[in-house]
Amino acid sequence: MIYVPKQGATTNAQTAVAPADPQTSLSANVSGANGSKVNLNTATKEQLMQVDGIGDKKATKIIEYRQQHGSFKQLSELKDISGIGDKTYQKLSKSLTI
């Protein structure tokens, strides 16, 4: 949406610019595309699945690990989960936080 004010009118820059697709903005917040990261200790399965490299099975394993061992204390604990090795950890750690 583009807002064109009348000549001499003042505008609020935040209301004048709206995202083209609100759903896109929501997924950007979840996936970390805008710099935010998904919290391993509070994320739902659906939120975890928004992270590039985490599918249904990995999200389930992360939540099961969290339930069995308590909150993650370090991101490196991800490597304790079956199927997450060094390469996968390096990729995921950029989008996750504690």
Side-chain angles (χ1 to χ4, degrees), residues 9-12 15 21-22 34 40 45 49 51 59 63-66 68 76-80 83 85 90 92:
T10 59
T11 64
N12 179 344
T15 57
D21 182 5
N34 69 351
L40 272 179
K45 181 177 180 178
M49 289 173 56
V51 174
I63 291 173
E64 287 174 354
Y65 182 90
R66 189 170 69 193
Q68 293 171 359
S76 61
E77 288 180 59
L78 277 174
K79 293 190 274 184
D80 295 339
Q90 290 300 321
L92 297 177

Side-chain angles (χ1 to χ4, degrees), residues 47-92:
Q47 289 171 325
L48 288 169
M49 289 173 56
Q50 294 298 314
V51 174
D52 188 32
I54 298 180
D56 184 61
K57 288 182 181 181
K58 280 188 183 146
T60 299
K61 287 181 180 183
I62 290 170
I63 291 173
E64 287 174 354
Y65 182 90
R66 189 170 69 193
Q67 290 170 344
Q68 293 171 359
H69 299 92
S71 296
F72 285 87
K73 291 164 189 57
Q74 297 179 351
L75 280 179
S76 61
E77 288 180 59
L78 277 174
K79 293 190 274 184
D80 295 339
I81 298 171
S82 174
I84 300 179
D86 289 330
K87 280 185 162 183
T88 304
Y89 169 75
Q90 290 300 321
K91 181 179 179 181
L92 297 177

Side-chain angles (χ1 to χ4, degrees), residues 25 27-38 93-97:
S25 296
S27 21
N29 289 337
V30 172
S31 68
N34 69 351
S36 65
K37 296 183 177 190
V38 175
S93 65
K94 296 172 187 173
S95 300
L96 299 170
T97 189

